[in-house]
């Protein structure tokens, strides 16, 4: 178990990669986050889950392993029931367009899918969800063979056990209990499915499954179901394909847990958190009267190494949720003069730059990760910084050589130069107020950023 204090993005220590976050306030009053766990270089997720909890949205506990995929008896078992998931051999129009665009960039997803179907699969645990009933916590899980199931515990953080396979195939189960006590399960890719759970919460009648609750064609649904109720309206959240790839969290609303649902829009888009940014999956939850969106951002120039991030959101009187931007400040306050901003806290990257591991012996303990692979024309964004008296200097701890043009919103605040890691100028001029800080690289040679301080 590890404890950590933070309100800035990414929320957790850098070694903990917990994407696909389902956030729930449980009966003990704490917020618990259930997600998958990236710890491999070659695929999403891993063979374990770690639950995260907080009593106050600032002090975080990463609990011990909650479940291991090797505990699941039906996985890689030829005698276990098989329920088909999505048929990727018949891609939808959106998927066809996406695969075509990726092929132009040299990525053959068809070959990747076929390769993943060969041989015995590792017991990976994909995105989960959890609900409490009568003191028991039910964790809904899914695995690479399209199997889904439930494990239980008497504690919200686990450990979980007593696995039961569910009679459905697909990924990303989501669970929701309505005010009348009826529980519902959701799952699927491209076309979602929903069903009323039996009172035991570990079974349902397959004849009651409702297909196509939300679809890619009508609702931009890709995967990652999540259900909430606000007032009398049901909010179906998911990875949204409206912008060409599932980097957004979008939502549809309906009058009942099983629809019909009408598409409403995007809550947040993580495109631009990394050159390889690919998917998103998260949830919304109200904590002490404030609504938040929980999502992930990838790092290290890969689709993996995804990290928990959180932003405040607003539910308008008409029930809609305005889109919010990714920030560096997260659920904390804007950065102020004299406060260190870590390079790895960048919330927007355009070009080749990414957040990567710092292998330099002299600095890696203080700065375990840094902004690297910076090229001419790259843009690096931090949201937000604030000063009552304006900004006069920007000091950057960096290595290599470059010129950086500094922008605060649309105001050009000046240009900084660096030669072999030495900052040769630091003067800028920017108005008082709250701003987006944007750095635009000119010619750059082996240039990497560890830390920034505005003064």
């Amino acid at each position: 178990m590890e404890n950590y204090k933070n309100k800035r993005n990414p929320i957790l220590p850098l070694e903990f990669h917990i994407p696909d976050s389902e956030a729930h306030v449980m009966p003990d009053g704490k917020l618990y986050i259930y997600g998958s766990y990236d710890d491999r270089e070659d695929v999403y997720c891993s063979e374990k889950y770690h639950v995260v909890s907080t009593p106050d949205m600032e002090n975080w506990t990463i609990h011990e392993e909650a479940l291991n995929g090797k505990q699941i008896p039906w996985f890689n078992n030829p005698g276990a029931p098989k329920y088909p998931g999505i048929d990727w051999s018949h891609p939808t129009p959106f998927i066809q367009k996406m695969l075509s665009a990726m092929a132009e960039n040299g990525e053959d997803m068809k070959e990747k899918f076929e390769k993943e179907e060969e041989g015995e699969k590792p017991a990976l645990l994909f995105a989960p969800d959890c609900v409490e009933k009568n003191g028991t916590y039910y964790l809904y899980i899914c695995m690479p063979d399209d199997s889904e199931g439930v494990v239980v515990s008497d504690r919200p953080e686990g450990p979980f056990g007593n696995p039961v396979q569910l009679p459905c195939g697909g990924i990303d189960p989501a669970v929701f209990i309505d005010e009348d006590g009826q529980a519902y399960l959701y799952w699927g890719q491209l076309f979602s499915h929903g069903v009323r759970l039996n009172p035991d919460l570990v079974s349902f009648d397959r004849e009651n499954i409702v297909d196509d609750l939300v679809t890619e064609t009508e609702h931009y649904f890709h995967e990652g179901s999540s259900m909430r109720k606000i007032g009398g309206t049901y909010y179906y959240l998911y990875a949204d394909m409206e912008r060409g790839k599932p980097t957004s969290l979008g939502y549809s609303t309906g009058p009942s847990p099983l629809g019909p649902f009408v598409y409403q829009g995007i809550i947040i888009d993580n495109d631009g958190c990394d050159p390889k940014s690919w998917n998103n999956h998260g949830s919304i939850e109200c904590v002490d009267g404030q609504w938040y969106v929980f999502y992930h951002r990838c790092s290290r120039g890969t689709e993996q190494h995804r990290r928990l991030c959180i932003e405040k959101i607003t539910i308008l009187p008409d029930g809609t949720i305005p889109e919010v931007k990714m920030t560096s400040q997260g659920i904390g306050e804007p950065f102020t003069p004299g406060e260190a901003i870590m390079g790895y806290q960048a919330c927007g990257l355009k070009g080749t730059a990414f957040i990567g591991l710092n292998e330099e012996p002299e600095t890696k303990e203080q700065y375990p990760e840094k902004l690297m692979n910076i090229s001419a024309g790259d843009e690096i964004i931090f949201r937000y910084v604030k000063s009552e008296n304006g900004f006069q200097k920007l000091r950057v701890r960096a290595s290599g050589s470059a010129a950086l043009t500094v922008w605060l919103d649309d105001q050009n605040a000046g240009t900084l130069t660096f030669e072999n890691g030495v900052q040769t100028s630091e003067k800028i001029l920017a108005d008082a107020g709250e701003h987006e800080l944007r750095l635009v690289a000119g010619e750059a040679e082996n240039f990497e950023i560890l830390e920034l301080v505005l003064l």
Side-chain angles (χ1 to χ4, degrees):
M1 185 165 66
E2 182 160 336
N3 297 312
Y4 186 68
K5 186 173 183 177
N6 184 37
K7 300 185 85 169
R8 299 276 169 70
N9 286 327
I11 289 292
L12 302 178
L14 299 180
E15 66 267 29
F16 291 98
H17 299 91
I18 300 182
D20 307 328
S21 48
E22 272 290 351
H24 296 286
V25 176
M26 290 301 187
D28 63 2
K30 294 181 182 179
L31 178 82
Y32 289 83
I33 295 173
Y34 302 87
S36 50
Y37 190 84
D38 283 353
D39 71 354
R40 298 171 57 119
E41 301 292 333
D42 56 338
V43 295
Y44 290 126
C45 310
S46 67
E47 295 186 330
K48 57 187 176 182
Y49 290 140
H50 285 273
V51 178
V52 175
S53 68
T54 177
D56 56 9
M57 300 296 287
E58 183 175 11
N59 293 281
W60 304 88
T61 298
I62 301 99
H63 296 274
E64 301 296 337
E65 186 175 293
L67 181 73
N68 193 290
K70 293 184 174 69
Q71 296 173 236
I72 307 305
W74 62 81
F75 187 74
N76 281 328
N77 179 355
K82 301 295 180 186
Y83 301 95
I86 189 69
D87 181 3
W88 286 102
S89 65
H90 297 87
T92 61
F94 271 91
I95 294 297
Q96 290 177 22
K97 183 177 179 181
M98 178 191 71
L99 294 178
S100 222
M102 295 181 76
E104 289 178 6
N105 292 327
E107 298 179 74
D108 187 350
M109 293 300 287
K110 182 177 184 294
E111 181 181 344
K112 179 181 176 182
F113 290 142
E114 289 172 350
K115 192 173 182 181
E116 287 176 350
E117 291 299 319
E118 298 173 0
E120 186 172 289
K121 299 179 177 69
L124 302 177
L125 293 168
F126 292 163
D129 195 8
C130 188
V131 73
E132 181 272 344
K133 181 180 178 181
N134 298 330
T136 298
Y137 296 84
Y138 298 81
L139 185 71
Y140 295 79
I141 67 171
C142 59
M143 304 185 76
D145 61 353
D146 284 330
S147 67
E148 302 198 33
V150 191
V151 288
V152 297
S153 176
D154 60 359
R155 302 177 61 86
E157 73 274 18
F160 291 85
N162 300 317
V164 175
Q165 186 176 2
L166 289 167
C168 60
I171 64 167
D172 299 350
V175 62
F176 169 74
I177 298 182
D178 208 350
E179 293 164 354
D180 61 2
Q182 176 62 58
Y184 298 83
L185 181 71
Y186 307 86
W187 70 95
Q189 284 178 293
L190 312 185
F191 310 88
S192 76
H193 317 276
V195 69
R196 290 179 175 84
L197 287 168
N198 291 330
D200 62 8
L201 267 62
V202 298
S203 65
F204 62 82
D205 186 341
R206 279 184 54 83
E207 293 184 0
N208 292 333
I209 294 175
V210 180
D211 296 317
D212 300 341
L213 290 176
V214 290
T215 67
E216 187 186 70
T217 304
E218 187 176 351
H219 308 86
Y220 306 106
F221 171 76
H222 182 68
E223 62 190 16
S225 298
S226 179
M227 180 63 67
R228 295 293 186 274
K229 185 179 184 181
I230 304 175
T233 301
Y234 297 84
Y235 287 69
Y236 200 143
L237 278 75
Y238 46 84
D240 185 313
M241 284 286 287
E242 183 184 6
R243 293 174 181 167
K245 57 181 182 176
T247 55
S248 300
L249 283 183
Y251 73 109
S252 295
T253 58
S256 82
L258 296 175
F261 293 100
V262 176
Y263 182 69
Q264 299 295 340
I266 289 170
I267 299 173
I268 194 165
D269 187 350
N270 74 18
D271 190 27
C273 67
D274 184 280
K276 291 287 187 178
S277 178
W278 164 245
N279 76 353
N280 210 337
H281 184 169
S283 58
I284 61 173
E285 185 76 347
C286 187
V287 183
D288 295 328
Q290 172 65 56
W291 281 93
Y292 300 91
V293 59
F294 300 78
Y295 67 106
H296 63 239
R297 306 202 298 236
C298 63
S299 62
R300 302 187 191 173
T302 70
E303 296 176 12
Q304 291 81 32
H305 300 295
R306 298 166 296 171
R307 292 177 168 145
L308 172 65
C309 294
I310 310 174
E311 312 290 351
K312 293 179 180 179
I313 60 171
T314 302
I315 314 294
L316 296 180
D318 65 0
T320 59
I321 305 174
E323 182 175 353
V324 296
K325 294 181 178 180
M326 296 184 290
T327 72
S328 305
Q329 73 182 62
I331 54 179
E333 296 299 317
F335 293 88
T336 54
E339 185 176 2
I341 307 172
M342 298 298 173
Y344 62 74
Q345 291 176 315
C347 61
L349 299 170
K350 296 180 181 179
T352 61
F354 60 81
I355 297 163
L357 286 172
N358 181 12
E359 302 289 359
E360 297 297 327
E362 319 84 59
T363 58
K364 68 179 183 180
E365 184 174 348
Q366 184 178 0
Y367 307 100
E369 297 196 8
K370 58 185 176 181
L371 279 167
M372 57 197 305
N373 204 42
I374 299 171
S375 305
D378 285 3
E379 295 187 15
I380 300 162
I381 297 170
F382 300 87
R383 300 186 184 101
Y384 290 95
V385 298
K386 185 177 182 178
S387 172
E388 295 181 0
N389 301 309
F391 297 101
Q392 290 77 43
K393 295 180 181 180
L394 175 57
R395 292 177 180 164
V396 182
R397 184 165 187 179
S399 60
S401 302
L404 285 181
T405 303
V406 181
W407 294 81
L408 281 95
D409 297 327
D410 295 326
Q411 181 182 5
N412 186 332
T415 298
L416 310 180
T417 54
F418 303 81
E419 294 180 7
N420 298 319
V422 177
Q423 184 173 350
T424 57
S425 58
E426 61 182 32
K427 183 179 178 181
I428 63 170
L429 186 62
D431 296 336
E434 182 174 313
H435 305 282
E436 172 187 281
L437 171 63
R438 180 164 53 97
L439 309 177
V440 181
E443 292 300 320
E445 183 178 354
N446 301 319
F447 189 63
E448 299 176 337
I449 296 175
L450 298 173
E451 178 187 274
L452 307 88
V453 179
L454 282 159
L455 297 168

